[in-house]
Structure formats: structure tokens, C-alpha cells
């Protein structure tokens, strides 16, 4: 096992303090790539609907390693490292498309949809001169393959032979929530991408944090979308690594009475949307559901808008967020229009989500140098178990406990 950096030594059993060095230390970042993103976990890489036909591909990442996901001629999904076996260039620079083979632009080595090397230009040289030796074998130079599996229309990949079966990794507390949104075939509506100048774990905390949602996001409270006095809570898997956060409307007057009595920021009842159709929507899935699956997948249902969010670390102080908006194949035109309109709530400039990137960045800007200072995670007590309230930091503690287990190799809470 590699040396556990100082930041993790002396960390208490239930993490209620998180040292700031975990958000900017390069050694920690590199250890995460090894122990988490190349460790015994599954990373979400695509929706099945994005690679529906043989030859469809999508370029993405597992941790910070570039990866291509394809649909093979055999109809199965494949994933491999997007790095030519020849001289290390990206084989695939497009984000998505359909091809019979993937060809590296540098020297045109080409690979089939399962990542096998199938073509090398000038292999025999020209007029008997140059080229590769006779004993050079194409089959010894495939792209590095990842294990691939899918659940409910979501495709996952892992570098690890040790990772448990995908359905077990997701676990019985989480799969019903996936089934809920993926009960029928989905249709891709579009993408948004965003670079945030902050550590990826600040965003992993954010989507597990029901406490901030009515405080940071004034749009929520102003237009009655989300209040901490709503019915709701969090459900964890047995490790505390995954989290389903739910918020459901109560009768307006009960919600306001509880909210107003709680000393929270006042409900600004005097404001009205100039275009109320933004939130009008159609009856479908209830409330707001933010489903965080360790390490970097968020599946969101906010009223009628559905999306996966991929959290991709780029550097200790930089991550990318890739949002894939989707609806269902059987949506009528009006429903698609509703989903797209409500998509304005999320993404880089979303009426709600915009502040989350901002929140991560103002933490990153403030924690410089003070490696041993720490954040405080005490809301909801020190426990890591399901909650039926929206004023807790329980799922964030669950994230950190499992994070520490992976980094230290200590599986005491398993
Ligand atoms: Fe938020």
C-alpha cells in the first residue's frame, strides 16, 4: 500500500471534520486516481441510448483517464483507454459518432470497436525497406480494455478485476431508484459541459447536501420549488457511499408555516415568474430527486427535467461536469419542449445549478495554505444512516467514510 498522506492520519471514525488539504493536495489527487478511479469501483461512462447501434461511440473519462465507449459489431458495449498503443496519442478526438474502426490521427493505426489493433500503415515498409519486423503481432497491441457492465440503461466501466458485480456495487437500496427513472427507453435531448475551478469532491459533497438547497439557491425558495420544510430525506446504501436525496411538495400553507417558523431566509412571496410556463410542467415523476452514485455520477429528476451528470476530475483544483439531458422515446412534442424548457434550471448557467459551481469555487479560493484546517460536518448528528429530513450532512459523512476506506484500504465499515 502506498504511504497514506498526513491528511488522512488521525481522521476520526465518523468524519465530521474534513482537512482542507484533501481539496488541493497533489499527492491526494494522484492517490485518488489509483485507489478510487482505478480501484474496485464502477464509473458511469454513457447511457445505452448514446451507443444504441453497432459502431456508435462516445469519448469520455474514467477519473482523468480518457476512455472510449463503443457498441461493438457483436451488439455489446466495450470500453478501452483512448490512447494509441503505438505512441500514446488520443485515438478518438470526437466526442461521439458512428464508425467501423477508430483510427489514430498520428500514424493511422486503426482499431476495431472492441479496441483490437487491425491496421498499421506501411507495416511491410516500402519496396522492402523499413516497416515492422516479421515477428510484430497486431494482437499484442490492443487498446487497454476496461470491464463494462450496464444497469437500467446506464453503462459503467472499471479498471479493476476486484470490483464487485455492478448490481451489487449499486446495491438494493439504490437500484429501485434507477428503475424508477429508467423503466422505459430513453431518448437523448442534448448536452451541456462546464469546467469548474474547484476540487471534484466539493461537488460530490454538494449533491449530497440537502441543507444548502433552500439557502444557496434563492430561485428555489422564491418560486416555491424547494424548501427545507418540504417532505423528504436521504437514503443511503449500506456503505454510505451512494445517496438518494428526495424533496416532495407538501400543501403550500404547511410548507410555508414550517419554513417561516424555522428562522431560515424569508420566503419572498411577492415575486412571480414573468413566464410561469417554466415551472408549469406536466404530472410525471414527483418532486426533486438527486441521486448521487459514488464516485462521480448524479442522476437528477427535477420536476420534468431528467439528466445524468458526470463529475470528471481534471486536476486537484479543476473538474468538468458533463450533463446529458434525456427524455423518453414515447414523449410527445409538448413533453420534449417542457423538458428542454425546464433544463434551464440546471447546467452552467442554470437558474438553480449555476450557484453550485460558484459555491465550489469560493471554497477552493478560501482554503489555500491552511491544509490542517477543516470543514465542519455536524448537521444531523454524527451518524451515517437514512434521514427523513432535509437539514443534515449525513450523506456527505457517508461519502467521506467510504472515500477514506478506499484510500487507506481500511474496510472497517463494509
Ligand atoms: Fe445546489
Amino acid at each position: 500500500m502506498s504511504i497514506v498522506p498526513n491528511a488522512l492520519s488521525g481522521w476520526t471514525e465518523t468524519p465530521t471534520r474534513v482537512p482542507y488539504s484533501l481539496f488541493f493536495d497533489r499527492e491526494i489527487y494522484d492517490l485518488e486516481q489509483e485507489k478510487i478511479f482505478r480501484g474496485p469501483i464502477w464509473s458511469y461512462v454513457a447511457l445505452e441510448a448514446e451507443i444504441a447501434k453497432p459502431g456508435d461511440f462516445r469519448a469520455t473519462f474514467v477519473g482523468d483517464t480518457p476512455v472510449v465507449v463503443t457498441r461493438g459489431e457483436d451488439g455489446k458495449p466495450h470500453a478501452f483507454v483512448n490512447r494509441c498503443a503505438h505512441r500514446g496519442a488520443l485515438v478518438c478526438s470526437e466526442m461521439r459518432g458512428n464508425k467501423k474502426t477508430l483510427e489514430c490521427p498520428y500514424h493511422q493505426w486503426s482499431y476495431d470497436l472492441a479496441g483490437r489493433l487491425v491496421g498499421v500503415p506501411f507495416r511491410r515498409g516500402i519496396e522492402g525497406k523499413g516497416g515492422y519486423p516479421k515477428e510484430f503481432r497486431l494482437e499484442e497491441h490492443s487498446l487497454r480494455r476496461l470491464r463494462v457492465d450496464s444497469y437500467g440503461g446506464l453503462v459503467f466501466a472499471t479498471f479493476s478485476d476486484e470490483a464487485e458485480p455492478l448490481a451489487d456495487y449499486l446495491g438494493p437500496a439504490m437500484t429501485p431508484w434507477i428503475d424508477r427513472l429508467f423503466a422505459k427507453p430513453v431518448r437523448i435531448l442534448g448536452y451541456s459541459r462546464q469546467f469548474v475551478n474547484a476540487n471534484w469532491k466539493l461537488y460530490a459533497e454538494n449533491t449530497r447536501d440537502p441543507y444548502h438547497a433552500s439557502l444557496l439557491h434563492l430561485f428555489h425558495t422564491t418560486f416555491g420549488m424547494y424548501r427545507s420544510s418540504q417532505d423528504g430525506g436521504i437514503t443511503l446504501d449500506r456503505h454510505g457511499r451512494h445517496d438518494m436525496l428526495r424533496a416532495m411538495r407538501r400543501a403550500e400553507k404547511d410548507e410555508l408555516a414550517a419554513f417561516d417558523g424555522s428562522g431560515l431566509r424569508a420566503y419572498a412571496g411577492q415575486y412571480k415568474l414573468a413566464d410561469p410556463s417554466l415551472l408549469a410542467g406536466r404530472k410525471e415523476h414527483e418532486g426533486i430527486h438527486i441521486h448521487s452514485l459514488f464516485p462521480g455520477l448524479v442522476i437528477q429528476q427535477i420536476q420534468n427535467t431528467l439528466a445524468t451528470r458526470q463529475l470528471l476530475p481534471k486536476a486537484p483544483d479543476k473538474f468538468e461536469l458533463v450533463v446529458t439531458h434525456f427524455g423518453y422515446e414515447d414523449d410527445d412534442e409538448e413533453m420534449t419542449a417542457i423538458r428542454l424548457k425546464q433544463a434551464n434550471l440546471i447546467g452552467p448557467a442554470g437558474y438553480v445549478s449555476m450557484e453550485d459551481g460558484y459555491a465550489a469555487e469560493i471554497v477552493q479560493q478560501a482554503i489555500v495554505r491552511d491544509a490542517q484546517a477543516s470543514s465542519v460536518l455536524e448537521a444531523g448528528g454524527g451518524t451515517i444512516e437514512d434521514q427523513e429530513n432535509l437539514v443534515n450532512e449525513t450523506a456527505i459523512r457517508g461519502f467521506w467514510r467510504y472515500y477514506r476506506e478506499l484510500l487507506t484500504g481500511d474496510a472497517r465499515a463494509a
Side-chain angles (χ1 to χ4, degrees), residues 203 206-207 209 212-213 216-217 220 309 352-353 355-357 359:
Y203 194 80
N206 178 279
T207 64
D209 177 358
H212 85 282
L216 174 68
H217 302 302
H220 271 158
R309 305 180 195 166
V352 175
S353 294
E355 292 98 63
D356 294 315

Side-chain angles (χ1 to χ4, degrees), residues 46-59 68-80 92 94-102 112-114 188 191:
L47 286 171
E48 294 259 19
E50 293 177 280
I51 51 163
K53 297 186 299 295
D56 286 351
F57 69 88
R58 183 183 182 218
V68 187
V69 191
T70 65
R71 175 77 56 187
E73 298 292 355
D74 55 3
K76 295 197 181 101
H78 299 272
F80 35 81
C92 176
E94 295 145 275
M95 292 197 69
R96 66 191 70 84
N98 183 285
K99 290 182 174 180
K100 292 229 176 302
T101 56
L102 298 171
D112 71 10
L113 296 165
I188 308 301
Y191 298 88

Side-chain angles (χ1 to χ4, degrees), residues 40-348:
I41 57 93
W42 288 91
S43 289
Y44 164 75
V45 287
L47 286 171
E48 294 259 19
E50 293 177 280
I51 51 163
K53 297 186 299 295
D56 286 351
F57 69 88
R58 183 183 182 218
T60 182
F61 295 85
V62 170
D64 58 11
T65 304
V67 160
V68 187
V69 191
T70 65
R71 175 77 56 187
E73 298 292 355
D74 55 3
K76 295 197 181 101
H78 299 272
F80 35 81
V81 174
N82 186 4
R83 183 182 61 230
C84 187
H86 178 214
R87 297 269 290 280
L90 285 174
V91 171
C92 176
S93 305
E94 295 145 275
M95 292 197 69
R96 66 191 70 84
N98 183 285
K99 290 182 174 180
K100 292 229 176 302
T101 56
L102 298 171
E103 202 169 84
C104 176
Y106 200 177
H107 304 86
Q108 295 182 23
W109 281 33
S110 63
Y111 300 88
D112 71 10
L113 296 165
R116 288 180 291 250
L117 180 63
V118 292
V120 172
F122 305 123
R123 189 171 165 198
R124 299 287 170 238
I126 292 174
E127 295 172 348
K129 295 185 184 134
Y132 284 83
K134 275 204 173 52
E135 54 281 15
F136 182 85
R137 296 268 169 273
L138 295 186
E139 56 272 25
E140 287 169 12
H141 302 277
S142 295
L143 299 176
R144 180 174 175 184
R145 292 175 61 89
L146 284 79
R147 285 172 66 199
V148 185
D149 202 354
S150 59
Y151 183 89
L154 301 154
V155 185
F156 293 78
T158 180
F159 278 100
S160 169
D161 293 329
E162 312 294 307
E164 60 200 303
L166 177 62
D168 297 343
Y169 179 74
L170 298 169
M174 295 293 117
T175 49
W177 297 105
I178 298 177
D179 301 340
R180 172 180 168 268
L181 289 189
F182 291 90
K184 53 183 182 173
V186 305
R187 184 154 58 101
I188 308 301
L189 298 180
Y191 298 88
S192 66
R193 297 170 67 200
Q194 175 180 15
F195 283 93
V196 179
N197 293 310
N199 185 272
W200 69 277
K201 300 185 296 299
L202 290 169
Y203 194 80
E205 288 190 324
N206 178 279
T207 64
R208 289 169 173 80
D209 177 358
Y211 182 32
H212 85 282
S214 67
L215 302 168
L216 174 68
H217 302 302
L218 293 179
F219 189 95
H220 271 158
T221 41
T222 304
F223 302 111
M225 268 185 79
Y226 180 107
R227 300 183 192 107
S228 300
S229 53
Q230 283 179 342
D231 283 336
I234 62 166
T235 305
L236 304 171
D237 74 318
R238 67 193 177 93
H239 297 273
R241 60 190 171 189
H242 311 309
D243 165 52
M244 167 52 82
L245 191 169
R246 294 163 278 116
M248 256 30 114
R249 298 299 303 272
R250 292 200 284 173
E252 186 84 358
K253 67 174 179 16
D254 297 344
E255 219 171 82
L256 285 177
F259 194 83
D260 289 345
S262 65
L264 298 173
R265 202 176 293 194
Y267 173 61
Q270 69 269 35
Y271 293 105
K272 292 252 178 308
L273 284 170
D275 177 6
S277 72
L278 175 71
L279 295 180
R282 211 192 256 181
K283 195 163 169 50
E284 189 188 27
H285 304 297
E286 260 191 287
I288 292 177
H289 290 73
I290 305 293
H291 197 181
S292 302
L293 293 158
F294 191 92
L297 169 62
V298 181
I299 308 168
Q300 62 130 85
Q301 175 254 316
I302 299 177
Q303 300 187 343
N304 296 116
T305 190
L306 308 171
T308 62
R309 305 180 195 166
Q310 247 181 316
L311 173 52
L312 302 172
K314 297 292 167 190
D317 58 354
K318 199 178 192 77
F319 68 84
E320 184 183 9
L321 205 55
V322 179
V323 179
T324 305
H325 299 266
F326 65 90
Y328 298 112
E329 269 181 12
D330 66 1
D331 283 350
D332 57 28
E333 248 174 71
E334 187 192 55
M335 192 60 171
T336 300
I338 288 170
R339 295 197 202 284
L340 290 173
K341 185 173 271 191
Q342 289 185 358
N344 286 300
L345 296 167
I346 61 159

